[in-house]
Amino acid sequence: MARPRSAEKQRAILSAAVRTVASQGLGAATAVIAKEAGVSNGSLFTYFGSKADLLNRLYVELKTEMAAAALDGLPAEGDLRERLCHLWVRWLRWATTCPEKRRTLAQLDVSDEITPASRQTARQMMAGIARLLEQSRSNGPLREAPLEFVVALMSALADITIDFMLRDPVHADQHRQAGFEALWRMVA
Amino acid sequence: MARPRSAEKQRAILSAAVRTVASQGLGAATAVIAKEAGVSNGSLFTYFGSKADLLNRLYVELKTEMAAAALDGLPAEGDLRERLCHLWVRWLRWATTCPEKRRTLAQLDVSDEITPASRQTARQMMAGIARLLEQSRSNGPLREAPLEFVVALMSALADITIDFMLRDPVHADQHRQAGFEALWRMVA
Amino acid sequence: MARPRSAEKQRAILSAAVRTVASQGLGAATAVIAKEAGVSNGSLFTYFGSKADLLNRLYVELKTEMAAAALDGLPAEGDLRERLCHLWVRWLRWATTCPEKRRTLAQLDVSDEITPASRQTARQMMAGIARLLEQSRSNGPLREAPLEFVVALMSALADITIDFMLRDPVHADQHRQAGFEALWRMVA
Amino acid sequence: MARPRSAEKQRAILSAAVRTVASQGLGAATAVIAKEAGVSNGSLFTYFGSKADLLNRLYVELKTEMAAAALDGLPAEGDLRERLCHLWVRWLRWATTCPEKRRTLAQLDVSDEITPASRQTARQMMAGIARLLEQSRSNGPLREAPLEFVVALMSALADITIDFMLRDPVHADQHRQAGFEALWRMVA
DNA sequence: CATGAATGAGAATTCATTCAT
DNA sequence: GATGAATGAATTCTCATTCAT
């Protein structure tokens, strides 16, 4: 029950930030984000201590949402390949469904405003994904590599695949499959 | 007549830009870059019409240098795997040797200041790499995918591998090998 | 809520602009105007979107004030010559009373920062003057000329007369009378 | 015979300045003027010590040319009205023939870069005009006003008339006549 | 003497953040 | 708490002028 109005505004700001950053880049002015959120520019700073703070929270939020989307409905058991494919499909579906979120996330990922702590938190959100990957690669050629390395690989692969899906929607399905084949061959 | 435009100064500015962007990001002030280059504020703009122009030229320059480094000494004939490996080794050596260039290039790659024309030019610089990749994948699972897709994959894989090599220099060799294995399995 | 935009501050800026432009010309820096107004650099831009905007508003403001001063207390009826003379006297009195405003207005008048819209608005402010002039010239030699032509003539004549009044204050009265005679002979 | 090359370049610069100032205002960069003149920006400063110097010389030059054009072919004797009309026609013809010169002159006239000395010189160039005006007004209503006042009046009247002639070329003749009637009534 | 690169003092504007209302 | 005006440092770019070639 603690400040329900606040939670709403906070969400509005984050959501406005997604849209604004997607279209204007990380240089987007806080005042613009605030206006897009229907909130005064001063208010933005009562919800987020600074622009960097907003960006960090947005980063964690988006990573979390992405991971949740990818893991949604993942069967606890069953064939590894199938489970990984399930994850792959969900991941890409989320990204292609909200291209603005994805675009913003891509910008945040390379920003030096994002603190190590935020990156760490984000990694934890991806733990479920990492776990499945851990199993998948356990007998594969990357079984000795750091797990993080494999996660990073999968993320990059997903990113590129999404790029091509968005750029060439007619062959989206083929791109998704090609991406998955590449992934599977790499890890398993 | 008159003092000729000095190639030296131009290089100094580009090189200063590499260092400054690597440490301060793309938001680095042109004045800072100029000072770092030992050149006046205004001179930067006689060599580069605008900050965006500087960034674009830097982008093309770095991509070109990277591609040249990767292709340097590549045997024209011989075993495909070996040739690709040769390329891989050179590429990563370049990146680990000049981490600042690589860091700057990473920032430029995601910047929206970089024009399509610059990206196009950069792609042409990578043509040699693409060609080798084309041969390598010709019987592999990605033989039907757009070549660009495969190039992007390799780039991302290289990037991640470099990250780990820099982060964990003790196991640099292992990371490089793991990266190559992943690459080879993906394409061949 | 929040501090309301202060009409006072806006006036202070406009008034500072009058003084600064009068003494330094239209090239006067916005920073100087702001300081003269006792306002921060940035505040000037919350009241006026750009320097050109400030200049345009100043232009309209001064023209309006000038016209109002000229028309102030103008008898609605009576001898035309007397009424025109009344106008003439008020006009010149205003100009000689605030030479800085007049000087600034003269600069603005020839500036190409002033938009057609502003000039149009200014013209409307002068409508009262134009109307009286229309009556005055109705049987005179300029009865066929565009009214605007006659208005421009009167403005120029006023300007020159003011110049001489300011330059040679001892004979200010004579200059004013000579100017009026010239005007009357021209139009009536 | 003294530096014939120089005289040519000097003329080229002055002429380029006319065109450039006409289109870009007094803020036109010296480098632009130099380029328009087909001369290096450094050279401009060997012919004119500073931008202000260039502007002042241009001012005097244009005023001189204008006066010469107005006085060209003026009959030494004859009816005053006719002679003044002759002058009027030539003056306006010059101005409508070279609108750029006129436009530039108008800008210079209100600039505070123009020194009193230049204005004085310009006045002397107008002496022939002033003399005719002196005769014309000798029995008229302005016979007691300072001659300068009458000259200023005529100049302003000419300016306005030219404006209307350029703006509305179809009725150029009528405007010219109306202007002259106004002038004659004012002075004679 | 011509050239045009070099210089660096501004110029207008922007923007994160603070604070009066 | 919400608002949006206030702030002023920081930014990119311009330009008259100088000076090395």
Side-chain angles (χ1 to χ4, degrees):
Chain A
M1 245 241 277
R3 36 192 179 114
R5 285 263 296 294
S6 304
E8 229 170 275
K9 278 193 192 175
Q10 178 147 334
R11 296 222 56 76
I13 294 171
L14 285 168
S15 153
V18 168
R19 276 168 278 143
T20 311
V21 171
S23 74
Q24 310 191 24
L26 293 173
T30 52
V32 172
I33 296 173
K35 171 174 266 188
E36 172 84 16
V39 151
S40 76
N41 59 7
S43 278
L44 188 149
F45 288 90
T46 92
Y47 288 97
F48 303 91
S50 68
K51 188 182 183 180
D53 182 29
L54 166 60
L55 259 22
N56 274 278
R57 289 218 231 164
L58 187 56
Y59 175 73
V60 171
E61 167 110 349
L62 290 178
K63 279 277 188 190
T64 303
E65 186 180 321
M66 187 183 76
L71 292 166
D72 178 52
L74 184 72
E77 314 246 323
D79 181 55
L80 261 181
R81 191 182 203 273
E82 258 170 45
R83 294 174 69 216
L84 192 62
C85 184
H86 180 105
L87 183 102
W88 184 256
V89 169
R90 301 279 172 142
W91 185 334
L92 301 204
R93 183 182 302 156
W94 177 84
T96 48
T97 307
C98 355
E100 289 185 326
K101 288 183 181 172
R102 193 211 150 227
R103 194 170 153 63
T104 294
L105 193 47
Q107 314 238 40
L108 290 169
D109 244 324
V110 302
S111 165
D112 34 331
E113 300 274 33
I114 302 304
T115 65
S118 297
R119 294 195 192 274
Q120 174 60 15
T121 305
R123 233 171 279 130
Q124 284 163 6
M125 295 304 139
M126 308 267 292
I129 295 175
R131 221 170 302 128
L132 183 53
L133 221 36
E134 169 72 53
Q135 298 175 339
S136 305
R137 66 102 177 233
S138 64
N139 294 316
L142 291 175
R143 86 189 76 98
E144 310 261 292
L147 181 54
E148 265 196 63
F149 182 86
V150 187
V151 172
L153 230 52
M154 183 183 186
S155 291
L157 188 42
D159 251 6
I160 294 166
T161 307
I162 293 158
D163 266 344
F164 277 81
M165 291 171 74
L166 290 172
R167 222 189 288 172
D168 173 25
V170 175
H171 304 103
D173 283 357
Q174 280 151 253
H175 293 311
R176 179 170 52 235
Q177 289 214 350
F180 184 71
E181 286 310 322
L183 172 64
W184 188 252
R185 285 186 58 88
M186 232 174 7
V187 302
Chain B
M1 261 165 266
R3 199 176 328 187
R5 236 183 247 202
S6 126
E8 215 174 306
K9 221 161 265 193
Q10 174 148 332
R11 295 219 56 75
I13 294 171
L14 284 168
S15 150
V18 168
R19 277 168 275 140
T20 311
V21 170
S23 75
Q24 308 189 24
L26 292 173
T30 52
V32 173
I33 296 173
K35 172 174 270 185
E36 170 85 16
V39 147
S40 82
N41 239 331
S43 276
L44 189 148
F45 289 92
T46 95
Y47 286 91
F48 302 93
S50 68
K51 187 182 184 181
D53 182 31
L54 168 58
L55 260 23
N56 274 278
R57 288 218 232 164
L58 188 54
Y59 175 74
V60 170
E61 168 110 350
L62 290 178
K63 279 275 188 192
T64 303
E65 186 180 322
M66 186 182 79
L71 292 166
D72 178 51
L74 185 71
E77 314 246 322
D79 182 54
L80 262 182
R81 190 184 206 270
E82 256 170 48
R83 294 173 69 214
L84 192 61
C85 185
H86 179 104
L87 184 103
W88 184 256
V89 169
R90 302 280 171 139
W91 184 334
L92 300 205
R93 183 181 303 155
W94 178 82
T96 48
T97 307
C98 355
E100 287 184 327
K101 288 182 180 172
R102 194 210 149 230
R103 195 171 152 62
T104 294
L105 193 46
Q107 312 239 41
L108 290 170
D109 244 326
V110 302
S111 164
D112 35 344
E113 300 276 32
I114 303 303
T115 64
S118 296
R119 296 196 192 273
Q120 173 61 13
T121 305
R123 232 172 280 131
Q124 285 163 3
M125 296 302 140
M126 308 267 293
I129 296 177
R131 223 169 303 127
L132 184 52
L133 222 35
E134 169 72 52
Q135 298 175 338
S136 305
R137 65 102 178 235
S138 64
N139 295 314
L142 291 176
R143 89 190 74 99
E144 310 262 293
L147 181 54
E148 265 197 64
F149 183 88
V150 187
V151 173
L153 229 53
M154 183 181 187
S155 291
L157 188 42
D159 251 6
I160 294 166
T161 307
I162 293 158
D163 266 343
F164 277 82
M165 290 172 73
L166 290 172
R167 223 189 285 172
D168 174 23
V170 175
H171 303 102
D173 282 357
Q174 284 157 49
H175 293 311
R176 180 172 48 236
Q177 289 214 348
F180 184 70
E181 287 308 325
L183 172 64
W184 188 251
R185 285 185 59 85
M186 240 179 352
V187 302
Chain C
M1 260 166 268
R3 199 177 326 187
R5 235 183 247 203
S6 129
E8 216 174 307
K9 221 161 266 194
Q10 174 147 333
R11 296 219 55 75
I13 294 170
L14 284 169
S15 150
V18 168
R19 276 168 277 141
T20 311
V21 170
S23 74
Q24 308 189 25
L26 293 173
T30 53
V32 173
I33 296 173
K35 173 173 270 185
E36 171 83 16
V39 149
S40 82
N41 239 331
S43 276
L44 189 147
F45 289 91
T46 94
Y47 286 92
F48 303 92
S50 67
K51 187 182 183 180
D53 182 31
L54 167 59
L55 260 24
N56 274 278
R57 288 218 232 165
L58 187 55
Y59 175 74
V60 170
E61 167 109 349
L62 290 178
K63 279 275 188 193
T64 303
E65 186 180 322
M66 186 184 79
L71 292 167
D72 178 51
L74 183 72
E77 313 245 323
D79 181 54
L80 262 181
R81 191 181 204 273
E82 257 170 47
R83 294 174 69 215
L84 192 62
C85 184
H86 179 106
L87 184 104
W88 184 255
V89 169
R90 302 280 173 139
W91 184 334
L92 301 204
R93 183 181 302 156
W94 177 82
T96 48
T97 307
C98 354
E100 288 183 327
K101 287 183 180 172
R102 194 211 148 229
R103 193 171 154 63
T104 295
L105 193 47
Q107 313 240 41
L108 290 170
D109 244 326
V110 301
S111 164
D112 36 343
E113 300 276 32
I114 303 302
T115 64
S118 297
R119 295 195 193 274
Q120 173 61 14
T121 305
R123 231 171 283 131
Q124 284 164 4
M125 295 304 140
M126 308 267 292
I129 296 176
R131 221 170 303 127
L132 184 52
L133 220 38
E134 168 73 53
Q135 298 176 339
S136 305
R137 67 102 177 232
S138 64
N139 294 315
L142 292 175
R143 87 189 76 99
E144 310 262 292
L147 182 54
E148 264 197 65
F149 183 87
V150 186
V151 172
L153 231 53
M154 182 182 186
S155 292
L157 187 43
D159 251 6
I160 295 166
T161 307
I162 292 158
D163 266 343
F164 276 82
M165 289 172 74
L166 289 172
R167 221 189 287 172
D168 174 23
V170 176
H171 303 101
D173 282 358
Q174 282 155 44
H175 293 311
R176 180 171 50 236
Q177 288 216 348
F180 184 70
E181 287 309 324
L183 172 64
W184 186 252
R185 285 184 59 86
M186 233 175 4
V187 302
Chain D
M1 245 238 279
R3 32 190 180 117
R5 286 263 296 292
S6 305
E8 230 171 275
K9 277 193 193 176
Q10 178 147 333
R11 295 222 56 76
I13 294 171
L14 285 168
S15 153
V18 168
R19 277 167 276 141
T20 313
V21 171
S23 75
Q24 311 191 23
L26 292 173
T30 53
V32 172
I33 296 172
K35 171 175 266 187
E36 172 84 16
V39 151
S40 77
N41 59 9
S43 278
L44 188 148
F45 288 91
T46 91
Y47 289 96
F48 302 92
S50 68
K51 188 183 185 180
D53 182 30
L54 166 59
L55 260 23
N56 275 277
R57 289 218 231 163
L58 187 56
Y59 175 73
V60 171
E61 166 110 349
L62 290 178
K63 279 278 191 191
T64 303
E65 186 180 322
M66 184 183 79
L71 291 167
D72 178 52
L74 184 71
E77 315 247 320
D79 181 54
L80 261 182
R81 191 181 204 272
E82 257 170 46
R83 295 174 68 215
L84 191 61
C85 184
H86 180 105
L87 183 104
W88 183 255
V89 169
R90 302 279 172 139
W91 184 335
L92 300 205
R93 183 181 304 156
W94 177 83
T96 48
T97 306
C98 353
E100 289 185 327
K101 288 183 180 172
R102 194 212 149 226
R103 196 171 151 63
T104 294
L105 193 47
Q107 313 238 42
L108 290 169
D109 245 325
V110 302
S111 164
D112 33 333
E113 301 275 33
I114 302 304
T115 64
S118 297
R119 294 195 192 275
Q120 173 61 15
T121 305
R123 233 171 280 130
Q124 284 163 7
M125 294 304 137
M126 308 267 292
I129 296 177
R131 221 170 304 128
L132 183 53
L133 221 36
E134 169 71 52
Q135 297 174 340
S136 305
R137 65 102 176 232
S138 65
N139 294 314
L142 290 175
R143 87 188 75 98
E144 311 261 291
L147 181 55
E148 264 196 64
F149 183 87
V150 186
V151 173
L153 229 53
M154 183 182 183
S155 291
L157 188 43
D159 251 6
I160 294 166
T161 307
I162 293 158
D163 266 343
F164 276 82
M165 289 171 74
L166 290 173
R167 220 189 288 171
D168 173 23
V170 175
H171 303 103
D173 283 357
Q174 284 157 50
H175 293 311
R176 181 172 48 236
Q177 288 214 350
F180 183 70
E181 286 310 321
L183 172 64
W184 187 252
R185 285 185 59 87
M186 239 180 352
V187 303

